[in-house]
PDB file of all heavy atoms in Angstrom:
ATOM      1  N   MET A   1      32.166  -7.623 -25.218  1.00 98.00           N
ATOM      2  CA  MET A   1      31.685  -7.267 -23.918  1.00 98.00           C
ATOM      3  C   MET A   1      31.082  -5.848 -23.906  1.00 98.00           C
ATOM      4  O   MET A   1      29.988  -5.612 -23.303  1.00 98.00           O
ATOM      5  CB  MET A   1      32.898  -7.247 -22.959  1.00 98.00           C
ATOM      6  CG  MET A   1      32.550  -7.102 -21.468  1.00 98.00           C
ATOM      7  SD  MET A   1      33.994  -7.350 -20.394  1.00 98.00           S
ATOM      8  CE  MET A   1      34.936  -5.894 -20.965  1.00 98.00           C
ATOM      9  N   ASN A   2      31.639  -4.919 -24.616  1.00 97.00           N
ATOM     10  CA  ASN A   2      31.134  -3.584 -24.689  1.00 97.00           C
ATOM     11  C   ASN A   2      29.822  -3.458 -25.410  1.00 97.00           C
ATOM     12  O   ASN A   2      29.002  -2.564 -25.189  1.00 97.00           O
ATOM     13  CB  ASN A   2      32.204  -2.631 -25.336  1.00 97.00           C
ATOM     14  CG  ASN A   2      33.420  -2.420 -24.502  1.00 97.00           C
ATOM     15  OD1 ASN A   2      33.328  -2.680 -23.296  1.00 97.00           O
ATOM     16  ND2 ASN A   2      34.506  -1.966 -25.159  1.00 97.00           N
ATOM     17  N   GLN A   3      29.581  -4.410 -26.288  1.00 98.00           N
ATOM     18  CA  GLN A   3      28.268  -4.458 -27.018  1.00 98.00           C
ATOM     19  C   GLN A   3      27.198  -5.304 -26.416  1.00 98.00           C
ATOM     20  O   GLN A   3      26.094  -5.506 -26.948  1.00 98.00           O
ATOM     21  CB  GLN A   3      28.522  -4.956 -28.445  1.00 98.00           C
ATOM     22  CG  GLN A   3      29.407  -4.081 -29.327  1.00 98.00           C
ATOM     23  CD  GLN A   3      29.679  -4.719 -30.689  1.00 98.00           C
ATOM     24  OE1 GLN A   3      28.857  -4.877 -31.522  1.00 98.00           O
ATOM     25  NE2 GLN A   3      30.987  -5.187 -30.866  1.00 98.00           N
ATOM     26  N   GLY A   4      27.488  -5.732 -25.165  1.00 98.00           N
ATOM     27  CA  GLY A   4      26.514  -6.580 -24.411  1.00 98.00           C
ATOM     28  C   GLY A   4      26.376  -7.930 -24.981  1.00 98.00           C
ATOM     29  O   GLY A   4      25.246  -8.533 -24.966  1.00 98.00           O
ATOM     30  N   MET A   5      27.437  -8.520 -25.601  1.00 98.00           N
ATOM     31  CA  MET A   5      27.430  -9.797 -26.219  1.00 98.00           C
ATOM     32  C   MET A   5      28.427 -10.776 -25.632  1.00 98.00           C
ATOM     33  O   MET A   5      28.708 -11.831 -26.139  1.00 98.00           O
ATOM     34  CB  MET A   5      27.567  -9.730 -27.694  1.00 98.00           C
ATOM     35  CG  MET A   5      26.484  -8.973 -28.369  1.00 98.00           C
ATOM     36  SD  MET A   5      26.563  -9.041 -30.203  1.00 98.00           S
ATOM     37  CE  MET A   5      27.909  -7.975 -30.501  1.00 98.00           C
ATOM     38  N   LEU A   6      28.934 -10.455 -24.400  1.00 98.00           N
ATOM     39  CA  LEU A   6      29.803 -11.360 -23.620  1.00 98.00           C
ATOM     40  C   LEU A   6      29.584 -11.087 -22.166  1.00 98.00           C
ATOM     41  O   LEU A   6      29.869  -9.989 -21.652  1.00 98.00           O
ATOM     42  CB  LEU A   6      31.256 -11.131 -23.904  1.00 98.00           C
ATOM     43  CG  LEU A   6      32.214 -12.086 -23.218  1.00 98.00           C
ATOM     44  CD1 LEU A   6      32.011 -13.519 -23.559  1.00 98.00           C
ATOM     45  CD2 LEU A   6      33.665 -11.729 -23.579  1.00 98.00           C
ATOM     46  N   HIS A   7      28.943 -12.093 -21.441  1.00 98.00           N
ATOM     47  CA  HIS A   7      28.475 -11.855 -20.068  1.00 98.00           C
ATOM     48  C   HIS A   7      29.190 -12.630 -19.059  1.00 98.00           C
ATOM     49  O   HIS A   7      29.134 -12.292 -17.844  1.00 98.00           O
ATOM     50  CB  HIS A   7      26.929 -12.131 -19.980  1.00 98.00           C
ATOM     51  CG  HIS A   7      26.165 -11.461 -21.065  1.00 98.00           C
ATOM     52  ND1 HIS A   7      25.603 -12.230 -22.107  1.00 98.00           N
ATOM     53  CD2 HIS A   7      25.769 -10.203 -21.244  1.00 98.00           C
ATOM     54  CE1 HIS A   7      24.903 -11.333 -22.866  1.00 98.00           C
ATOM     55  NE2 HIS A   7      25.039 -10.120 -22.411  1.00 98.00           N
ATOM     56  N   GLY A   8      29.911 -13.711 -19.474  1.00 98.00           N
ATOM     57  CA  GLY A   8      30.520 -14.597 -18.522  1.00 98.00           C
ATOM     58  C   GLY A   8      31.733 -15.296 -19.162  1.00 98.00           C
ATOM     59  O   GLY A   8      32.014 -15.138 -20.373  1.00 98.00           O
ATOM     60  N   ILE A   9      32.427 -16.032 -18.349  1.00 98.00           N
ATOM     61  CA  ILE A   9      33.619 -16.730 -18.820  1.00 98.00           C
ATOM     62  C   ILE A   9      33.775 -17.988 -17.997  1.00 98.00           C
ATOM     63  O   ILE A   9      33.568 -18.049 -16.789  1.00 98.00           O
ATOM     64  CB  ILE A   9      34.847 -15.902 -18.695  1.00 98.00           C
ATOM     65  CG1 ILE A   9      36.065 -16.471 -19.411  1.00 98.00           C
ATOM     66  CG2 ILE A   9      35.208 -15.490 -17.303  1.00 98.00           C
ATOM     67  CD1 ILE A   9      37.248 -15.503 -19.596  1.00 98.00           C
ATOM     68  N   GLU A  10      34.180 -19.138 -18.662  1.00 98.00           N
ATOM     69  CA  GLU A  10      34.504 -20.355 -17.941  1.00 98.00           C
ATOM     70  C   GLU A  10      35.846 -20.222 -17.295  1.00 98.00           C
ATOM     71  O   GLU A  10      36.880 -20.021 -18.009  1.00 98.00           O
ATOM     72  CB  GLU A  10      34.496 -21.598 -18.897  1.00 98.00           C
ATOM     73  CG  GLU A  10      33.180 -22.073 -19.319  1.00 98.00           C
ATOM     74  CD  GLU A  10      33.213 -23.271 -20.131  1.00 98.00           C
ATOM     75  OE1 GLU A  10      34.208 -23.589 -20.808  1.00 98.00           O
ATOM     76  OE2 GLU A  10      32.168 -24.055 -20.178  1.00 98.00           O
ATOM     77  N   ILE A  11      35.868 -20.294 -15.966  1.00 98.00           N
ATOM     78  CA  ILE A  11      37.179 -20.381 -15.300  1.00 98.00           C
ATOM     79  C   ILE A  11      37.566 -21.860 -15.048  1.00 98.00           C
ATOM     80  O   ILE A  11      38.725 -22.117 -14.755  1.00 98.00           O
ATOM     81  CB  ILE A  11      37.179 -19.603 -13.981  1.00 98.00           C
ATOM     82  CG1 ILE A  11      36.207 -20.278 -12.923  1.00 98.00           C
ATOM     83  CG2 ILE A  11      36.737 -18.208 -14.203  1.00 98.00           C
ATOM     84  CD1 ILE A  11      36.409 -19.738 -11.512  1.00 98.00           C
ATOM     85  N   VAL A  12      36.675 -22.676 -15.242  1.00 98.00           N
ATOM     86  CA  VAL A  12      36.852 -24.179 -15.210  1.00 98.00           C
ATOM     87  C   VAL A  12      36.175 -24.820 -16.444  1.00 98.00           C
ATOM     88  O   VAL A  12      35.023 -24.483 -16.662  1.00 98.00           O
ATOM     89  CB  VAL A  12      36.435 -24.805 -13.963  1.00 98.00           C
ATOM     90  CG1 VAL A  12      36.477 -26.317 -13.993  1.00 98.00           C
ATOM     91  CG2 VAL A  12      37.243 -24.382 -12.729  1.00 98.00           C
ATOM     92  N   ASN A  13      36.854 -25.652 -17.131  1.00 98.00           N
ATOM     93  CA  ASN A  13      36.234 -26.441 -18.222  1.00 98.00           C
ATOM     94  C   ASN A  13      36.747 -27.868 -18.162  1.00 98.00           C
ATOM     95  O   ASN A  13      38.042 -28.125 -18.198  1.00 98.00           O
ATOM     96  CB  ASN A  13      36.543 -25.813 -19.552  1.00 98.00           C
ATOM     97  CG  ASN A  13      36.101 -26.628 -20.775  1.00 98.00           C
ATOM     98  OD1 ASN A  13      36.667 -27.624 -21.169  1.00 98.00           O
ATOM     99  ND2 ASN A  13      34.883 -26.257 -21.245  1.00 98.00           N
ATOM    100  N   TYR A  14      35.889 -28.827 -18.068  1.00 96.00           N
ATOM    101  CA  TYR A  14      36.206 -30.257 -17.978  1.00 96.00           C
ATOM    102  C   TYR A  14      37.166 -30.521 -16.745  1.00 96.00           C
ATOM    103  O   TYR A  14      36.687 -30.452 -15.639  1.00 96.00           O
ATOM    104  CB  TYR A  14      36.857 -30.750 -19.272  1.00 96.00           C
ATOM    105  CG  TYR A  14      37.162 -32.167 -19.338  1.00 96.00           C
ATOM    106  CD1 TYR A  14      36.160 -33.077 -18.988  1.00 96.00           C
ATOM    107  CD2 TYR A  14      38.357 -32.680 -19.846  1.00 96.00           C
ATOM    108  CE1 TYR A  14      36.470 -34.474 -19.088  1.00 96.00           C
ATOM    109  CE2 TYR A  14      38.613 -34.085 -19.963  1.00 96.00           C
ATOM    110  CZ  TYR A  14      37.651 -34.904 -19.553  1.00 96.00           C
ATOM    111  OH  TYR A  14      37.954 -36.256 -19.652  1.00 96.00           O
ATOM    112  N   LYS A  15      38.456 -30.715 -16.986  1.00 95.00           N
ATOM    113  CA  LYS A  15      39.349 -30.924 -15.879  1.00 95.00           C
ATOM    114  C   LYS A  15      40.470 -29.906 -15.754  1.00 95.00           C
ATOM    115  O   LYS A  15      41.509 -30.128 -15.229  1.00 95.00           O
ATOM    116  CB  LYS A  15      39.984 -32.357 -15.985  1.00 95.00           C
ATOM    117  CG  LYS A  15      38.905 -33.469 -15.877  1.00 95.00           C
ATOM    118  CD  LYS A  15      39.540 -34.874 -15.881  1.00 95.00           C
ATOM    119  CE  LYS A  15      38.457 -35.935 -15.866  1.00 95.00           C
ATOM    120  NZ  LYS A  15      39.031 -37.352 -15.818  1.00 95.00           N
ATOM    121  N   GLU A  16      40.158 -28.667 -16.343  1.00 96.00           N
ATOM    122  CA  GLU A  16      41.149 -27.660 -16.301  1.00 96.00           C
ATOM    123  C   GLU A  16      40.619 -26.391 -15.583  1.00 96.00           C
ATOM    124  O   GLU A  16      39.453 -26.000 -15.779  1.00 96.00           O
ATOM    125  CB  GLU A  16      41.553 -27.247 -17.728  1.00 96.00           C
ATOM    126  CG  GLU A  16      42.300 -28.352 -18.435  1.00 96.00           C
ATOM    127  CD  GLU A  16      42.750 -27.882 -19.813  1.00 96.00           C
ATOM    128  OE1 GLU A  16      41.983 -27.117 -20.447  1.00 96.00           O
ATOM    129  OE2 GLU A  16      43.820 -28.347 -20.266  1.00 96.00           O
ATOM    130  N   TYR A  17      41.504 -25.752 -14.810  1.00 97.00           N
ATOM    131  CA  TYR A  17      41.157 -24.523 -14.107  1.00 97.00           C
ATOM    132  C   TYR A  17      42.078 -23.405 -14.779  1.00 97.00           C
ATOM    133  O   TYR A  17      43.280 -23.589 -14.921  1.00 97.00           O
ATOM    134  CB  TYR A  17      41.463 -24.660 -12.640  1.00 97.00           C
ATOM    135  CG  TYR A  17      41.626 -23.384 -11.922  1.00 97.00           C
ATOM    136  CD1 TYR A  17      40.722 -22.340 -11.911  1.00 97.00           C
ATOM    137  CD2 TYR A  17      42.859 -23.099 -11.175  1.00 97.00           C
ATOM    138  CE1 TYR A  17      40.895 -21.125 -11.209  1.00 97.00           C
ATOM    139  CE2 TYR A  17      43.037 -21.939 -10.471  1.00 97.00           C
ATOM    140  CZ  TYR A  17      42.081 -20.912 -10.520  1.00 97.00           C
ATOM    141  OH  TYR A  17      42.315 -19.771  -9.825  1.00 97.00           O
ATOM    142  N   TYR A  18      41.493 -22.246 -15.034  1.00 97.00           N
ATOM    143  CA  TYR A  18      42.242 -21.165 -15.687  1.00 97.00           C
ATOM    144  C   TYR A  18      42.284 -19.959 -14.706  1.00 97.00           C
ATOM    145  O   TYR A  18      41.408 -19.154 -14.687  1.00 97.00           O
ATOM    146  CB  TYR A  18      41.511 -20.723 -17.004  1.00 97.00           C
ATOM    147  CG  TYR A  18      41.175 -21.912 -17.923  1.00 97.00           C
ATOM    148  CD1 TYR A  18      39.879 -22.191 -18.235  1.00 97.00           C
ATOM    149  CD2 TYR A  18      42.226 -22.619 -18.476  1.00 97.00           C
ATOM    150  CE1 TYR A  18      39.635 -23.228 -19.135  1.00 97.00           C
ATOM    151  CE2 TYR A  18      41.957 -23.681 -19.380  1.00 97.00           C
ATOM    152  CZ  TYR A  18      40.627 -23.959 -19.696  1.00 97.00           C
ATOM    153  OH  TYR A  18      40.319 -24.960 -20.517  1.00 97.00           O
ATOM    154  N   PRO A  19      43.444 -19.780 -14.034  1.00 97.00           N
ATOM    155  CA  PRO A  19      43.542 -18.658 -13.059  1.00 97.00           C
ATOM    156  C   PRO A  19      43.414 -17.356 -13.813  1.00 97.00           C
ATOM    157  O   PRO A  19      42.855 -16.373 -13.205  1.00 97.00           O
ATOM    158  CB  PRO A  19      44.923 -18.829 -12.489  1.00 97.00           C
ATOM    159  CG  PRO A  19      45.289 -20.328 -12.663  1.00 97.00           C
ATOM    160  CD  PRO A  19      44.576 -20.745 -13.910  1.00 97.00           C
ATOM    161  N   ALA A  20      43.969 -17.283 -15.037  1.00 96.00           N
ATOM    162  CA  ALA A  20      43.878 -15.982 -15.736  1.00 96.00           C
ATOM    163  C   ALA A  20      42.470 -15.587 -15.988  1.00 96.00           C
ATOM    164  O   ALA A  20      42.019 -14.420 -15.933  1.00 96.00           O
ATOM    165  CB  ALA A  20      44.644 -16.061 -17.049  1.00 96.00           C
ATOM    166  N   ALA A  21      41.582 -16.574 -16.365  1.00 97.00           N
ATOM    167  CA  ALA A  21      40.181 -16.308 -16.576  1.00 97.00           C
ATOM    168  C   ALA A  21      39.461 -15.841 -15.308  1.00 97.00           C
ATOM    169  O   ALA A  21      38.582 -15.027 -15.368  1.00 97.00           O
ATOM    170  CB  ALA A  21      39.502 -17.563 -17.179  1.00 97.00           C
ATOM    171  N   PHE A  22      39.868 -16.487 -14.149  1.00 98.00           N
ATOM    172  CA  PHE A  22      39.295 -16.065 -12.846  1.00 98.00           C
ATOM    173  C   PHE A  22      39.622 -14.553 -12.670  1.00 98.00           C
ATOM    174  O   PHE A  22      38.752 -13.760 -12.262  1.00 98.00           O
ATOM    175  CB  PHE A  22      39.888 -16.974 -11.810  1.00 98.00           C
ATOM    176  CG  PHE A  22      39.227 -16.826 -10.442  1.00 98.00           C
ATOM    177  CD1 PHE A  22      38.080 -16.090 -10.212  1.00 98.00           C
ATOM    178  CD2 PHE A  22      39.796 -17.470  -9.363  1.00 98.00           C
ATOM    179  CE1 PHE A  22      37.490 -16.022  -9.024  1.00 98.00           C
ATOM    180  CE2 PHE A  22      39.220 -17.372  -8.098  1.00 98.00           C
ATOM    181  CZ  PHE A  22      38.073 -16.620  -7.872  1.00 98.00           C
ATOM    182  N   ALA A  23      40.840 -14.282 -12.898  1.00 98.00           N
ATOM    183  CA  ALA A  23      41.267 -12.789 -12.685  1.00 98.00           C
ATOM    184  C   ALA A  23      40.508 -11.890 -13.613  1.00 98.00           C
ATOM    185  O   ALA A  23      40.081 -10.792 -13.229  1.00 98.00           O
ATOM    186  CB  ALA A  23      42.769 -12.715 -12.910  1.00 98.00           C
ATOM    187  N   TRP A  24      40.366 -12.295 -14.935  1.00 98.00           N
ATOM    188  CA  TRP A  24      39.561 -11.474 -15.840  1.00 98.00           C
ATOM    189  C   TRP A  24      38.162 -11.264 -15.424  1.00 98.00           C
ATOM    190  O   TRP A  24      37.603 -10.159 -15.526  1.00 98.00           O
ATOM    191  CB  TRP A  24      39.629 -12.117 -17.242  1.00 98.00           C
ATOM    192  CG  TRP A  24      40.923 -12.086 -17.947  1.00 98.00           C
ATOM    193  CD1 TRP A  24      41.965 -11.291 -17.788  1.00 98.00           C
ATOM    194  CD2 TRP A  24      41.319 -13.015 -18.983  1.00 98.00           C
ATOM    195  NE1 TRP A  24      42.977 -11.506 -18.580  1.00 98.00           N
ATOM    196  CE2 TRP A  24      42.650 -12.591 -19.426  1.00 98.00           C
ATOM    197  CE3 TRP A  24      40.732 -14.038 -19.614  1.00 98.00           C
ATOM    198  CZ2 TRP A  24      43.339 -13.224 -20.389  1.00 98.00           C
ATOM    199  CZ3 TRP A  24      41.419 -14.743 -20.594  1.00 98.00           C
ATOM    200  CH2 TRP A  24      42.693 -14.321 -20.950  1.00 98.00           C
ATOM    201  N   ALA A  25      37.547 -12.383 -14.939  1.00 98.00           N
ATOM    202  CA  ALA A  25      36.129 -12.260 -14.548  1.00 98.00           C
ATOM    203  C   ALA A  25      36.015 -11.277 -13.404  1.00 98.00           C
ATOM    204  O   ALA A  25      35.020 -10.432 -13.471  1.00 98.00           O
ATOM    205  CB  ALA A  25      35.615 -13.636 -14.047  1.00 98.00           C
ATOM    206  N   LEU A  26      36.896 -11.210 -12.508  1.00 98.00           N
ATOM    207  CA  LEU A  26      36.800 -10.248 -11.362  1.00 98.00           C
ATOM    208  C   LEU A  26      37.071  -8.843 -11.927  1.00 98.00           C
ATOM    209  O   LEU A  26      36.460  -7.785 -11.504  1.00 98.00           O
ATOM    210  CB  LEU A  26      37.803 -10.629 -10.245  1.00 98.00           C
ATOM    211  CG  LEU A  26      37.536 -11.965  -9.590  1.00 98.00           C
ATOM    212  CD1 LEU A  26      38.648 -12.265  -8.523  1.00 98.00           C
ATOM    213  CD2 LEU A  26      36.149 -12.043  -8.892  1.00 98.00           C
ATOM    214  N   GLU A  27      38.114  -8.740 -12.774  1.00 98.00           N
ATOM    215  CA  GLU A  27      38.529  -7.398 -13.202  1.00 98.00           C
ATOM    216  C   GLU A  27      37.444  -6.819 -14.174  1.00 98.00           C
ATOM    217  O   GLU A  27      37.183  -5.549 -14.125  1.00 98.00           O
ATOM    218  CB  GLU A  27      39.828  -7.527 -14.010  1.00 98.00           C
ATOM    219  CG  GLU A  27      40.300  -6.354 -14.774  1.00 98.00           C
ATOM    220  CD  GLU A  27      41.431  -6.635 -15.725  1.00 98.00           C
ATOM    221  OE1 GLU A  27      42.070  -7.731 -15.551  1.00 98.00           O
ATOM    222  OE2 GLU A  27      41.642  -5.804 -16.650  1.00 98.00           O
ATOM    223  N   LYS A  28      36.850  -7.621 -15.009  1.00 98.00           N
ATOM    224  CA  LYS A  28      35.920  -7.098 -16.083  1.00 98.00           C
ATOM    225  C   LYS A  28      34.439  -7.320 -15.718  1.00 98.00           C
ATOM    226  O   LYS A  28      33.628  -7.011 -16.500  1.00 98.00           O
ATOM    227  CB  LYS A  28      36.260  -7.761 -17.352  1.00 98.00           C
ATOM    228  CG  LYS A  28      37.655  -7.615 -17.840  1.00 98.00           C
ATOM    229  CD  LYS A  28      38.020  -8.421 -19.055  1.00 98.00           C
ATOM    230  CE  LYS A  28      39.531  -8.441 -19.351  1.00 98.00           C
ATOM    231  NZ  LYS A  28      40.053  -7.037 -19.620  1.00 98.00           N
ATOM    232  N   ASP A  29      34.257  -7.790 -14.458  1.00 98.00           N
ATOM    233  CA  ASP A  29      32.833  -7.934 -13.939  1.00 98.00           C
ATOM    234  C   ASP A  29      32.004  -8.935 -14.804  1.00 98.00           C
ATOM    235  O   ASP A  29      30.937  -8.625 -15.232  1.00 98.00           O
ATOM    236  CB  ASP A  29      32.136  -6.599 -13.897  1.00 98.00           C
ATOM    237  CG  ASP A  29      31.004  -6.623 -12.876  1.00 98.00           C
ATOM    238  OD1 ASP A  29      31.026  -7.446 -11.931  1.00 98.00           O
ATOM    239  OD2 ASP A  29      30.043  -5.785 -13.047  1.00 98.00           O
ATOM    240  N   LEU A  30      32.615 -10.055 -15.023  1.00 98.00           N
ATOM    241  CA  LEU A  30      31.903 -11.135 -15.766  1.00 98.00           C
ATOM    242  C   LEU A  30      31.456 -12.236 -14.815  1.00 98.00           C
ATOM    243  O   LEU A  30      32.061 -12.488 -13.720  1.00 98.00           O
ATOM    244  CB  LEU A  30      32.898 -11.740 -16.779  1.00 98.00           C
ATOM    245  CG  LEU A  30      33.365 -10.853 -17.904  1.00 98.00           C
ATOM    246  CD1 LEU A  30      34.483 -11.523 -18.736  1.00 98.00           C
ATOM    247  CD2 LEU A  30      32.148 -10.474 -18.900  1.00 98.00           C
ATOM    248  N   THR A  31      30.459 -12.967 -15.237  1.00 98.00           N
ATOM    249  CA  THR A  31      29.923 -14.104 -14.434  1.00 98.00           C
ATOM    250  C   THR A  31      30.901 -15.262 -14.513  1.00 98.00           C
ATOM    251  O   THR A  31      31.476 -15.576 -15.574  1.00 98.00           O
ATOM    252  CB  THR A  31      28.591 -14.590 -14.966  1.00 98.00           C
ATOM    253  OG1 THR A  31      27.658 -13.429 -14.923  1.00 98.00           O
ATOM    254  CG2 THR A  31      27.998 -15.665 -14.195  1.00 98.00           C
ATOM    255  N   LEU A  32      31.148 -15.861 -13.293  1.00 98.00           N
ATOM    256  CA  LEU A  32      32.063 -16.984 -13.189  1.00 98.00           C
ATOM    257  C   LEU A  32      31.322 -18.332 -13.509  1.00 98.00           C
ATOM    258  O   LEU A  32      30.200 -18.552 -12.970  1.00 98.00           O
ATOM    259  CB  LEU A  32      32.584 -17.109 -11.791  1.00 98.00           C
ATOM    260  CG  LEU A  32      33.409 -15.943 -11.285  1.00 98.00           C
ATOM    261  CD1 LEU A  32      33.523 -16.039  -9.764  1.00 98.00           C
ATOM    262  CD2 LEU A  32      34.740 -15.868 -11.877  1.00 98.00           C
ATOM    263  N   LEU A  33      31.899 -19.140 -14.387  1.00 98.00           N
ATOM    264  CA  LEU A  33      31.292 -20.444 -14.691  1.00 98.00           C
ATOM    265  C   LEU A  33      32.291 -21.527 -14.683  1.00 98.00           C
ATOM    266  O   LEU A  33      33.437 -21.334 -15.018  1.00 98.00           O
ATOM    267  CB  LEU A  33      30.598 -20.378 -16.140  1.00 98.00           C
ATOM    268  CG  LEU A  33      29.427 -19.347 -16.229  1.00 98.00           C
ATOM    269  CD1 LEU A  33      29.797 -18.224 -17.183  1.00 98.00           C
ATOM    270  CD2 LEU A  33      28.094 -20.038 -16.570  1.00 98.00           C
ATOM    271  N   GLY A  34      31.825 -22.677 -14.343  1.00 98.00           N
ATOM    272  CA  GLY A  34      32.601 -23.916 -14.393  1.00 98.00           C
ATOM    273  C   GLY A  34      31.718 -25.090 -14.905  1.00 98.00           C
ATOM    274  O   GLY A  34      30.657 -25.340 -14.309  1.00 98.00           O
ATOM    275  N   ASN A  35      32.085 -25.700 -16.026  1.00 98.00           N
ATOM    276  CA  ASN A  35      31.216 -26.703 -16.678  1.00 98.00           C
ATOM    277  C   ASN A  35      32.018 -27.900 -17.098  1.00 98.00           C
ATOM    278  O   ASN A  35      33.248 -27.825 -17.273  1.00 98.00           O
ATOM    279  CB  ASN A  35      30.554 -26.020 -17.876  1.00 98.00           C
ATOM    280  CG  ASN A  35      29.693 -24.813 -17.447  1.00 98.00           C
ATOM    281  OD1 ASN A  35      28.794 -24.952 -16.622  1.00 98.00           O
ATOM    282  ND2 ASN A  35      30.001 -23.662 -18.100  1.00 98.00           N
TER     283      ASN A  35
END
């Protein structure tokens, strides 16, 4: 992230939701994705 090589995070993948990833995205200013 500090080197500009991590811009987003999946908070949802397939049929799973990750609350921790949602919190990280807000805390670390990452783009929210669900795929």
Side-chain angles (χ1 to χ4, degrees):
M1 190 174 65
N2 291 341
Q3 295 174 71
M5 294 188 288
L6 182 61
H7 311 106
I9 188 168
E10 282 185 338
I11 68 168
V12 169
N13 175 278
Y14 186 46
K15 296 184 180 182
E16 293 185 324
Y17 159 58
Y18 309 117
F22 190 9
W24 288 338
L26 299 176
E27 173 193 342
K28 302 174 189 298
D29 202 26
L30 296 169
T31 302
L32 301 165
L33 297 117
N35 301 305

